[in-house]
Structure formats: C-alpha cells, structure tokens
Amino acid sequence: MHVLVIGAGGFVGRHLVGRLVAEGVRVTAAGRDPARLAQAVCGVSTIRCDLTQDVADDWLLRLCGVDAVVNCAGLIRDGGRYATVHDKGARALFDACLAGGVGRVVQVSALGADAGAVTRYHLSKRTADDHLAGLDPAGARMDWVVLRPSFVIGRGGQSSALFGALAALPLTPRLGQGRWRVQPIHVDDLVAGILRLLHRDRPIAARIDVVGPEPMTTDALTASMRRWLGLAPVLGVRLPRWLLAAVTRLGIGPVTHESLTMLEADNTGEAEPLIAATGLVPATLDVALARTPATDADRLAARLMPLAPVLRWLLALVWLAGGIVPLAFTPAGTNFALLARAGLNGTAAITALVAGAVLDLAIGLALLARLRRAALAGIGVMLGYTAVIAATMPALWADPFGALVKNAAILGLALAVHVLETDRG
C-alpha cells in the first residue's frame, strides 16, 4: 500500500507517518517545505504541495501509484486562510483523487464541522467534508471517510501544550465556569483508527465523530494533565469568559477567538460509530496519558510555555527603552559627555546617538512583531555595543550599577527568546 499524507508535518500527520512507517507501509509526505518536512518525518519521500494554490491538475501527477490519501492539513490560528486550506485546497485534492483512481480518502476534519457549525474553522471544514461526500455518496468508485476528532491529546499537540501549561501554573486556572465539556482522544488512538480504516477490506463511505470514551469538563482535563505531569494539586483561580475573550482579541495568548468559541461549545459525541467502523476502543484520558509517562522535559515545556511571550515582551521592553530614553528623557549634555568618552563629538556624536536609538527601537518593534531572528539580531548589536564600550570605557566594568555586567543577563534572555522562537518554527 502506498499512502500519501497531506499535512504530514503537523501534529497528527507526524504521528501518523511514524506509525505507518513502523507498520511497513510505503509513505509519501506532502507539505509546503519538503526539505523541512524531511527533517520532521525522517525516512520517507517528501513532495511539495500548497493547498492555498494547488488545483486538481497539480495533484494528478502526485497521485500516480497512490492507493490512499489522508488529509491531515489544518490551521487553528490563521483564519484568513481557512477558506483556501480547509475548503478550496481540500476540494481540489478530492477532485483529483476521484479522477486519479485513488482507492480511499481519509479526511481529518473536526468535531463540530456539521449542520450546527458557526465558526469559520468549522464552516470551512464542513464545506470540504460535504464536497468529498458528494463526489461519490455511496463510495462506489472511491471509498471515503470523514473523521471528526474532538480534542486530540498527545505530545506535540496544541491542546496538550495549552492544558499542560495551565496545569503547571502555581494556581490552576478555571476557564470560564470550568464546566465547558470536551471528550478528548489520544493521538495514538486517532492514528490507530486511521490505520485500521486504511487497511479495512470492506467499502466505507461515512462521517465519524472521533472521541474518547467519556466526556469531561475543562477543569477535569486540566486536573488530568496535572496528575500526568506529576504535580500536586493546588488552588484554582477563575478566569472569567470576558477576560479570555479580551486576551484572544489582543492576540497575546495561545487561544484564538475561533478556538475559544469552539471550546465553549459542547465538544462531545458518541464513541460507538468509531468502534463499529474500526473495532478500536479508545482509552480514557488518564489511561492514554499513563502509556507515555511525563518526563522532566515535559514538565519544563509546560512551565516554559506561559513564559515564552513574557520573555519576548521583556526583551522588547529593554530595546525600546534603549531607543526612547536617550532621545526623550536623558539630558543632551549627559548623552554627549558619555559619547565624548568614546571619542565621538559634534556631528559624529549626534549621528551615533540617533542611529543607535533607531536601531534599538527597530529591534524592539521587531520582537513585538514576532519577526524571526529578531532576538538573534539583537544579540549581534548588543555584542557590538559591548565591545565598543569595553574598549573605550573599560572603567564601566567596575560600575556599581553594573552598566556592562548586566549585558550578560540580557544575553541570556535574548538566547532564551531565540531558542523558543526556533522551537516554534
């Protein structure tokens, strides 16, 4: 069997590719950056695709010799591309699958992408699901199945990262009233279900909700994650809905307006259709988590996640202050006296003062805009400043306020921000 996995670099896609390879299945992984994808899913062929641009004809050559296609592509933050990636791009893929003679298509959709869909995320997924089902309603020429998972938990997933971070805080946050309901399924069970559907010897044409065996509140989910991390229970603190909404509007947290709306909805379903179609009985969340015990690295990641944006803001504040303070608050005489110690006077001093301030502001704004390598650029500039000052004003090393020594702490902060942004990809 030759399986083409779209969105292979994503959370579900990576786990699926790994499991398929372990089962001896021939896999081709598709994504926008094949070179980077090859690093994420080692040992399989990779090809380039772009659901925002590709049409059916683009897919036909890629589908030669492919027996089954699994579409795992999905966005959670970039609402502006939902209509192209989830809907238009997926429809072009499905059209090509039917025309190219692909035997089976598995579409990984989302719980809530049904007649009651209200968010742009769910509506875009539902439109693609409807198109796939409408191509061959009875699956006479091409088997198809739409899987609609609830919260998918597992290492590398955004839901796990979010609730792991909440669980690791000194006080456990209660989202809203704490009674929003979800029915999480572990990624291992989702992948096992997909694998069974790919190997199924009977035709299938169905939409299946993919949920765990039991609904639970967001409070219970957070508590399960805290137990998995091996942390003792702590007091809770309520985060009212209006506060969560304000955070999503400001874009300063991992939760978006779309994901908050989906979280508020009743994310539950029936597990029986999945069991009937695959014979797989999903594990409860605590049992599924226990299969892969938490490590020190898991606890560290959970504790660092809430700090990542804070570290970036703090570093940006340092650079913005470096640009604003000399121009707006420090007396001109003080600035020029300091620059004179570095051998700069007159026009040269003014040029250096303005250029340095503008450069500091640019780095600060780049950090706030989350531009890649902004922290790395700041490190280079700071080392340059330090070298010049150390050479021209070595006495500052002994300054009681640590004018130069404090740069070591800023260096550490900048390195941390750079590493965190690199891990985010």
Side-chain angles (χ1 to χ4, degrees):
M1 176 185 290
H2 181 191
V3 179
L4 175 64
V5 180
I6 316 300
F11 168 46
V12 174
R14 293 196 309 272
H15 282 269
L16 175 61
V17 169
R19 181 68 181 274
L20 288 169
V21 171
E23 296 284 336
V25 177
R26 179 186 172 193
V27 181
T28 297
R32 286 186 298 167
D33 187 343
R36 185 175 176 187
L37 184 57
Q39 296 175 339
V41 288
C42 298
V44 302
S45 300
T46 60
I47 61 172
R48 185 185 184 280
C49 72
D50 188 345
L51 289 174
T52 65
Q53 299 179 358
D54 293 345
V55 297
D57 287 345
D58 296 319
W59 285 105
L60 285 174
L61 184 61
R62 302 167 186 160
L63 293 172
C64 289
V66 170
D67 301 299
V69 168
V70 183
N71 182 27
C72 298
L75 305 169
I76 191 61
R77 295 197 67 92
D78 195 349
R81 293 193 295 156
Y82 288 156
T84 51
V85 174
H86 294 171
D87 180 12
K88 182 182 177 182
R91 284 190 284 115
L93 168 65
F94 301 151
D95 288 343
C97 288
L98 184 63
V102 173
R104 182 163 293 173
V105 174
V106 178
Q107 156 79 338
V108 180
S109 184
L111 192 67
D114 51 28
V118 294
T119 66
R120 290 176 300 167
Y121 178 90
H122 281 146
L123 289 168
S124 61
K125 284 284 191 181
R126 188 190 73 184
T127 305
D129 299 348
D130 290 345
H131 183 78
L132 175 60
L135 287 175
D136 191 3
R141 292 175 293 165
M142 180 179 72
D143 288 350
W144 59 268
V145 58
V146 173
L147 298 179
R148 299 188 293 212
S150 177
F151 262 50
V152 183
I153 298 297
R155 284 196 179 98
Q158 293 186 11
S159 297
S160 293
L162 171 60
F163 279 89
L166 295 177
L169 291 172
L171 295 175
T172 301
R174 163 172 285 185
L175 303 181
Q177 297 292 333
R179 294 193 293 269
W180 294 335
R181 296 205 310 164
V182 294
Q183 200 163 338
I185 185 167
H186 197 275
V187 68
D188 290 345
D189 287 334
L190 171 58
V191 165
I194 295 173
L195 201 66
R196 293 193 184 195
L197 288 168
L198 290 173
H199 287 299
R200 177 184 166 116
D201 56 7
R202 289 171 293 151
I204 186 169
R207 306 187 201 212
I208 302 172
D209 290 346
V210 181
V211 296
E214 58 185 18
M216 62 197 315
T217 64
T218 48
D219 273 2
L221 174 56
T222 306
S224 288
M225 293 299 295
R226 190 168 179 88
R227 287 194 298 272
W228 176 68
L229 289 169
L231 304 174
V234 292
L235 295 176
V237 56
R238 181 173 172 242
L239 300 180
R241 201 274 180 200
W242 65 263
L243 179 59
L244 295 172
V247 170
T248 63
R249 282 194 294 270
L250 293 172
I252 58 176
V255 180
T256 65
H257 173 73
E258 295 276 330
S259 58
L260 179 60
T261 302
M262 291 187 282
L263 189 62
E264 288 181 282
D266 193 24
N267 288 275
T268 60
E270 298 295 330
E272 285 71 21
L274 176 65
I275 297 171
T278 64
L280 174 74
V281 180
T284 62
L285 180 60
D286 284 338
V287 169
L289 290 173
R291 294 188 301 216
T292 54
T295 64
D296 289 341
D298 293 312
R299 284 182 282 273
L300 178 62
R303 286 169 168 147
L304 276 178
M305 183 181 173
L307 287 178
V310 176
L311 296 179
R312 176 177 290 275
W313 300 333
L314 289 174
L315 184 59
L317 179 63
V318 170
W319 283 105
L320 292 174
I324 295 171
V325 170
L327 295 180
F329 298 103
T330 306
T334 302
N335 286 328
F336 292 131
L338 187 63
L339 289 169
R341 293 171 64 185
L344 297 173
N345 295 282
T347 302
I350 295 173
T351 301
L353 176 65
V354 174
V358 170
L359 185 56
D360 288 6
L361 288 171
I363 293 173
L365 293 173
L367 286 164
L368 291 179
R370 300 172 64 86
L371 297 183
R372 291 183 60 81
R373 297 183 176 86
L376 197 59
I379 290 173
V381 172
M382 185 196 67
L383 291 176
Y385 285 166
T386 302
V388 170
I389 295 173
T392 58
M393 292 175 279
L396 286 180
W397 285 111
D399 188 289
F401 294 103
L404 280 181
V405 174
K406 287 178 181 177
N407 280 355
I410 303 301
L411 174 63
L413 176 59
L415 287 171
V417 171
H418 175 65
V419 168
L420 289 170
E421 85 170 1
T422 303
D423 286 346
R424 189 185 73 249

